[in-house]
Amino acid sequence: MDNMKIAAGVGENKNIIEASKKVDFEVILTESEDKLINMLLNKEVDAAVRGSLSASKILSILKEKYHGELYRASFLETNGQKFLFAPVGIDEGDNPEEKIKIIELGAEFLLKLGIEPKIAVLSGGRPQDVGRSQKIDDSISDGEHVTSVTKSKYSVKHYFILIENAINDNVNFILAPDGISGNLIFRTLIFLGSGKSHGAVTLGINEIFIDTSRSQSVEGYIRALEFSNYLARLKSRNEKCNH
């Protein structure tokens, strides 16, 4: 069995330190955003977990390398059901083009895990709510457009505002109307409800970088570390098979 090395960031929230002591693989801790990403990009570690370091600083470094936008999709769990959820960055998914890109990258990630994507697109109202306000109309129109563009390639359904129906249908990827509502749904589910977060995978990069909330518990950081270790092992096995 491969021995993976995972880098993890230590910011104001020190729960990541306690979490690193409770996993059975090597975790290298750092208080520097630059060092965390340098270890990842220089292949000194197999994956990295943000911990409570600065998300904006880390993402700016990654964006500079990849010359474009990066998107994050949280791996969530509620009542035993696991699914990807995006966008969770408040500045992500602001237009249909970004949403389509998130769907493509998220579906690609699921397929690499051997999971057939079953995708739910959410918007700001029920079908009969069209006409109540321009904001609602625009959100529903975006949802219809994103669904129509992607459904020929993936299993995609527009659930409008009915996120509970998407969960009942056992979807494995939920697309929120935008990053702000996605972040609110995430916080409500994880910090006020009974949901669990395994961290957010950064889509569109070759490296494994798991984003985490600065407010995460020890248990939450343990899940993120274990998720990064799982992805690193899977990537290592796939690379060996390809050679």
Side-chain angles (χ1 to χ4, degrees):
M1 186 176 288
D2 296 327
N3 293 316
M4 298 291 112
K5 288 184 180 180
I6 311 297
V10 181
E12 291 184 7
N13 185 348
K14 307 301 181 186
N15 285 337
I16 190 72
I17 299 174
E18 192 63 28
S20 70
K21 299 174 183 176
K22 297 187 176 184
V23 294
D24 59 358
F25 47 87
E26 184 177 357
V27 179
I28 302 171
L29 298 173
T30 177
E31 297 182 2
S32 164
E33 289 88 356
D34 289 313
K35 186 174 180 181
L36 181 75
I37 294 304
N38 284 337
M39 282 192 288
L40 181 65
L41 297 180
N42 294 332
K43 303 188 186 305
E44 296 172 33
V45 294
D46 301 286
V49 175
R50 173 166 76 99
S52 58
L53 292 179
S54 169
S56 58
K57 186 170 184 181
I58 288 172
L59 289 174
S60 68
I61 297 171
L62 289 174
K63 285 178 181 178
E64 186 176 340
K65 180 192 173 182
Y66 283 96
H67 309 292
E69 296 297 319
L70 299 178
Y71 303 101
R72 291 162 289 172
S74 286
F75 185 42
L76 305 182
E77 181 178 353
T78 181
N79 297 324
Q81 184 175 340
K82 297 177 180 178
F83 56 94
L84 273 187
F85 182 77
V88 287
I90 58 173
D91 58 345
E92 298 176 12
D94 279 342
N95 57 63
E97 292 73 29
E98 286 190 6
K99 293 175 187 176
I100 291 166
K101 188 65 176 178
I102 291 170
I103 285 178
E104 291 173 343
L105 293 171
E108 182 182 311
F109 172 75
L110 288 173
L111 288 168
K112 284 182 179 178
L113 298 183
I115 300 170
E116 190 66 31
K118 187 177 181 182
I119 304 164
V121 174
L122 302 181
S123 60
R126 295 170 180 262
Q128 59 268 35
D129 291 326
V130 171
R132 291 180 64 174
S133 81
Q134 189 61 50
K135 187 174 183 179
I136 292 170
D137 291 359
D138 291 344
S139 179
I140 291 175
S141 176
D142 283 356
E144 288 288 86
H145 174 69
V146 169
T147 303
S148 67
V149 169
T150 55
K151 68 180 181 181
S152 62
K153 192 171 182 181
Y154 311 108
S155 175
V156 183
K157 180 179 177 181
H158 186 191
Y159 282 84
F160 297 87
I161 204 168
L162 304 174
I163 187 173
E164 66 276 18
N165 289 356
I167 292 294
N168 289 338
D169 283 348
N170 294 309
V171 302
N172 51 36
F173 186 10
I174 298 178
L175 186 80
D178 55 52
I180 294 174
S181 60
N183 196 283
L184 285 168
I185 291 169
F186 169 86
R187 290 179 177 279
T188 303
L189 181 64
I190 301 305
F191 298 129
L192 301 179
S194 57
K196 297 177 181 178
S197 170
H198 295 261
V201 63
T202 305
L203 304 172
I205 67 174
N206 297 324
E207 294 81 11
I208 298 167
F209 176 71
I210 302 299
D211 198 3
T212 48
S213 171
R214 282 170 285 194
S215 307
Q216 194 54 272
S217 63
V218 173
E219 291 74 19
Y221 282 135
I222 290 173
R223 287 192 294 269
L225 289 170
E226 290 178 340
F227 184 39
S228 67
N229 185 58
Y230 166 76
L231 293 178
R233 288 183 181 281
L234 184 66
K235 181 181 179 182
S236 176
R237 286 199 299 270
N238 289 341
E239 288 173 348
K240 287 179 179 177
C241 289
N242 292 333
H243 290 121

